[in-house]
């Protein structure tokens, strides 16, 4: 079984500041990793994914994440946030070769002027 | 544009009155999922279909059923909704194993 821990339930940050949203996972098998964003009353939108290859993954809206196998982490970063980045962010893990995902509890990113 | 469509976006039902939520996709994906998401919580997988093969999560209540009559459509039936079933219900699709999931906008269910 897999599990995902998002250490911060809320991250407040000022506009144009850098941000890091933390995600740690545990699994006994190799995994695929994903970050999704959810705006109020909407579905989840894929930001980026790690399946294999380069451990630094670039996604949409200027986000990137780095897969660290030894630390079992997949932290999400953005060098300069905008007000429009205010949303809930979910980290998810899926065992390689399977169809289902396990989601973390989410981190609410609050960007203020 | 290829997409995942959920209807209705908002559904109000009465306690104990059966309700059906629908999901359709134009992506021609093999896998379709139903998630329940309560306020400020992670999406919780209820079940998924890999083609016609139905996969029920162990802790999904019997009150929840699903149908997939064809590749494009999938339905979530709640036989006797309780107040605790009020939530956002998300449908998602995926090409197959190891691929990302594409989510619909969700249906917010209110139980009165």
């Amino acid at each position: 079984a897999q599990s995902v821990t998002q250490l911060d339930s809320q991250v407040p940050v000022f506009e144009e500041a850098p941000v890091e949203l933390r995600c740690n996972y545990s699994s006994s098998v190799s995994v695929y990793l994903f970050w999704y964003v959810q705006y109020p009353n909407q579905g989840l939108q894929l930001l980026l994914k790690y399946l294999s290859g380069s451990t630094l993954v670039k996604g949409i809206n200027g986000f990137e994440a780095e897969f660290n196998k030894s630390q079992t982490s997949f932290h999400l970063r953005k060098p300069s946030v905008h007000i429009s980045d205010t949303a809930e962010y979910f980290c998810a893990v899926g065992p390689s070769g399977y169809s289902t995902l396990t989601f973390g509890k989410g981190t609410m990113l609050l960007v203020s002027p | 544009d290829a997409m995942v469509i959920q209807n209705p976006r908002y559904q109000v039902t009465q306690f104990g009155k059966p309700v059906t939520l629908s999901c359709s996709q134009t992506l021609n994906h093999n896998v379709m999922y139903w998630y329940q998401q309560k306020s400020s919580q992670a999406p919780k997988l209820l079940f998924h279909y890999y083609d016609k093969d139905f996969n029920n999560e162990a802790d999904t209540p019997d009150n929840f059923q699903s149908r997939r009559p064809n590749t494009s459509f999938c339905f979530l039936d709640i036989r006797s909704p309780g107040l605790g079933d009020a939530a956002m219900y998300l449908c998602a699709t995926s090409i197959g194993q190891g691929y990302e999931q594409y989510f619909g906008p969700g249906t917010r269910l209110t139980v009165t």
Side-chain angles (χ1 to χ4, degrees), chain A residues 99, chain B residues 25 27-33 48-53 55 68 70-74 92-97 99:
Chain A
S99 305
Chain B
Q25 54 134 340
L27 298 162
N28 203 32
H29 284 173
N30 295 320
V31 194
M32 294 188 77
Y33 308 81
H48 74 280
Y49 278 92
Y50 198 116
D51 292 326
K52 295 183 179 180
D53 293 334
N55 298 273
R68 189 179 185 186
N70 53 52
T71 300
S72 301
F73 285 88
C74 195
T93 72
S94 174
I95 292 174
Q97 296 171 353
Y99 291 88

Side-chain angles (χ1 to χ4, degrees), chain A residues 2 27 29-32 93-102, chain B residues 97-98:
Chain A
Q2 292 71 45
S27 176
V29 299
S30 59
V31 295
Y32 300 141
V93 60
S96 304
Y98 287 84
S99 305
T100 60
L101 295 178
T102 300
Chain B
Q97 296 171 353

